[in-house]
Amino acid sequence: MKQTLVDIERLVRPNILKLKPYSSARSEFTGKASIFLDANENPYSLLTDQEGLNINRYPDPMQWQLKEVIAKLKGIQAENLFLGNGSDEVIDLLFKIFCRDGQDNIITLPPTYGMYNVAADIANIENRKVNLDLNYQPQVDKILAATDENTKLIFICNPNNPTGNLIQAEAIRQILENFEGIVVVDEAYIDFELEQSSISLINDYSNLVIMQTFSKAWAWAGMRLGMAITNPTIMSYFNKVKAPYNLNVLTQDLALRNLKSEEFIKNTQEKVAEILRQRAYLKKELSRFNFIQRIYPSAANFLFLQAENAAKIYNYLRNQGIIIRNRSNLVLCENGLRITVGTAQENRELIRALTNYSQGTESGFPSPH
Ligand SMILES: *Cc1c(COP(=O)(O)O)cnc(C)c1O
């Protein structure tokens, strides 16, 4: 393996390079003490039903306890871990660290997750779109040809949303080795196919940032806990730019207590296995409908499929109170639908609704709504 030594400082915005970060009361004093009169907090904890939560105090700015536990679960060092308010915060910080307004550009690989483009628009950064190929794999030569000295970030979503497929490891490696900017591998769904993670590469490639989240397999979408996994050089800029108290006390406390619990970990693993079984059930049942032409291989907790008249199916299901995602308008996704794997009962109801739809369609009767 060729190791890369990309000059990270060349990539960082000059104002961030020389930034003197805000120093909070809680980061200036970290030792043991019993009286804290340094942060203008209210000394009274006024919650009625959350025993033992120091909600009146500012949280640990660096979340060290939680990082130790998560790092252990992931087989990395706490120093390689950044925790954020969802992966969305990580995306936002990447733009703040690296992208000069109106001057730099990024590359995304459509059809893919929409937030990269929104974040680029907000930051006023050009998004150079290099479509995936017909197998939804990166076109490495075209991607590299689209870069210039102002290309700061390439976003690779693995497994890809909305198409559900894994990205070939060789393509990721080639991009890492031949691009002198930051390669962001978004692994939001990797917990459904853990052995495909790029996490073991973080010490080999100085330009690799991996994003993961607790929103999907870990069932904490409402908690807003995402992460970046990278080397200490890039990490230092994340820590420089982040809001001082970016993870609140409730999130840190709840996450810490649960991730320390063997029972919680076991439950989570069992639920992931159940979702994979349900995915196989859905795939089998869906493949019987002749209005569904293609169901793509999935490495995530959703199925991507191509159907005859996707918009009509979407509307029919919506009228039955079942919401799926119509992705027909994305490039390379004509008549594409994305269906999240639900509980056994939700999946059965989906299949029942589609059976009714198919009977209405085949007999020529209009659908009931
Ligand atoms: C769901 C998802 C995320 C997760 O975002 P959070 O802000 O952590 O909830 C990130 N990337 C992709 C591709 C996703 O589908």
Side-chain angles (χ1 to χ4, degrees):
M1 181 183 338
K2 179 173 127 194
Q3 303 204 339
T4 54
L5 254 188
V6 171
D7 180 1
I8 300 302
E9 286 180 359
R10 182 192 70 82
L11 299 170
V12 173
R13 291 163 69 209
N15 58 311
I16 302 300
L17 270 184
K18 59 172 197 268
L19 174 75
K20 194 173 175 302
Y22 177 74
S23 178
S24 65
R26 272 310 106 79
S27 57
E28 284 186 1
F29 178 83
T30 52
K32 274 229 179 317
S34 53
I35 300 179
F36 287 96
L37 304 176
D38 58 342
N40 298 348
E41 297 151 333
N42 187 321
Y44 305 107
S45 182
L46 301 174
L47 285 183
T48 49
D49 58 359
Q50 294 282 339
E51 279 305 306
L53 265 187
N54 286 329
I55 195 81
N56 57 316
R57 298 294 178 183
Y58 282 103
D60 173 6
M62 293 297 288
Q63 310 107 15
W64 282 120
Q65 277 188 296
L66 184 54
K67 278 183 184 165
E68 291 292 344
V69 175
I70 295 174
K72 201 165 154 223
L73 282 170
K74 306 251 166 216
I76 56 173
Q77 301 299 312
E79 289 74 21
N80 294 115
L81 190 58
F82 172 84
L83 299 179
N85 184 16
S87 340
D88 291 345
E89 183 182 354
V90 174
I91 298 174
D92 191 50
L93 291 181
L94 285 165
F95 280 90
K96 279 190 175 149
I97 296 165
F98 294 109
C99 297
R100 292 167 300 175
D101 182 332
Q103 194 174 345
D104 289 332
N105 65 78
I106 65 157
I107 291 181
T108 62
L109 315 179
T112 194
Y113 188 45
M115 269 310 289
Y116 317 138
N117 190 59
V118 173
D121 282 347
I122 291 170
N124 191 30
I125 296 299
E126 179 195 355
N127 178 9
R128 299 184 173 177
K129 297 176 180 172
V130 182
N131 289 349
L132 296 171
D133 69 16
L134 294 175
N135 296 315
Y136 299 134
Q137 292 298 326
Q139 309 194 71
V140 175
D141 292 342
K142 286 191 187 167
I143 292 166
L144 295 174
T147 63
D148 62 21
E149 74 277 8
N150 294 331
T151 306
K152 296 297 182 69
L153 311 169
I154 297 178
F155 284 93
I156 303 173
C157 190
N158 184 37
N160 191 43
N161 178 6
T163 56
N165 60 289
L166 288 164
I167 301 298
Q168 284 156 1
E170 177 60 17
I172 296 175
R173 197 184 57 76
Q174 283 178 6
I175 295 168
L176 278 166
E177 290 184 1
N178 295 293
F179 172 51
E180 299 262 311
I182 306 294
V183 180
V184 185
V185 181
D186 183 349
E187 297 189 336
Y189 299 95
I190 206 70
D191 300 290
F192 297 101
E193 195 112 7
L194 261 182
E195 65 281 9
Q196 299 294 327
S197 175
S198 298
I199 213 164
S200 63
L201 303 180
I202 52 165
N203 294 317
D204 297 324
Y205 294 101
S206 58
N207 57 342
L208 172 61
V209 175
I210 294 173
M211 302 199 315
Q212 293 189 2
T213 181
F214 283 91
S215 294
K216 307 288 159 59
W218 291 90
W220 285 350
M223 186 126 71
R224 311 307 303 130
L225 183 54
M227 57 207 135
I229 299 160
T230 188
N231 60 67
T233 305
I234 296 179
M235 187 62 64
S236 67
Y237 295 104
F238 273 102
N239 289 329
K240 211 173 172 186
V241 169
K242 81 181 189 73
Y245 303 114
N246 63 322
L247 271 202
N248 67 71
V249 167
L250 299 175
T251 297
Q252 290 194 46
D253 185 80
L254 204 65
L256 185 61
R257 277 191 285 132
N258 282 278
L259 294 174
K260 275 180 169 172
S261 149
E262 276 174 34
E263 195 193 341
F264 172 82
I265 302 290
K266 194 164 137 269
N267 277 342
T268 304
Q269 286 164 346
E270 279 170 14
K271 285 293 184 293
V272 166
E274 168 64 8
I275 287 168
L276 296 182
R277 282 193 297 275
Q278 286 297 320
R279 186 180 74 192
Y281 161 82
L282 265 187
K283 185 164 187 172
K284 183 172 105 255
E285 295 296 318
L286 289 170
S287 66
R288 297 180 203 218
F289 297 117
N290 57 14
F291 57 85
I292 294 177
Q293 285 127 357
R294 187 158 177 199
I295 306 172
Y296 289 81
S298 171
N301 64 333
F302 58 84
L303 287 172
F304 184 67
L305 50 91
Q306 199 175 36
E308 208 171 277
N309 216 337
K312 192 172 162 204
I313 298 170
Y314 172 83
N315 288 327
Y316 178 85
L317 290 175
R318 190 193 55 199
N319 289 334
Q320 310 291 315
I322 299 175
I323 314 299
I324 61 172
R325 197 92 199 259
N326 184 358
R327 299 276 67 184
S328 305
N329 292 331
L330 299 188
V331 63
L332 297 172
C333 291
E334 202 185 334
N335 276 313
L337 295 172
R338 194 193 71 190
I339 302 179
T340 306
V341 178
T343 64
Q345 185 181 341
E346 288 169 339
N347 301 332
R348 276 197 306 274
E349 285 183 27
L350 170 76
I351 297 300
R352 188 179 316 140
L354 286 173
T355 305
N356 290 338
Y357 171 86
S358 77
Q359 285 161 355
T361 310
E362 279 158 20
S363 56
F365 295 125
S367 57
H369 293 274

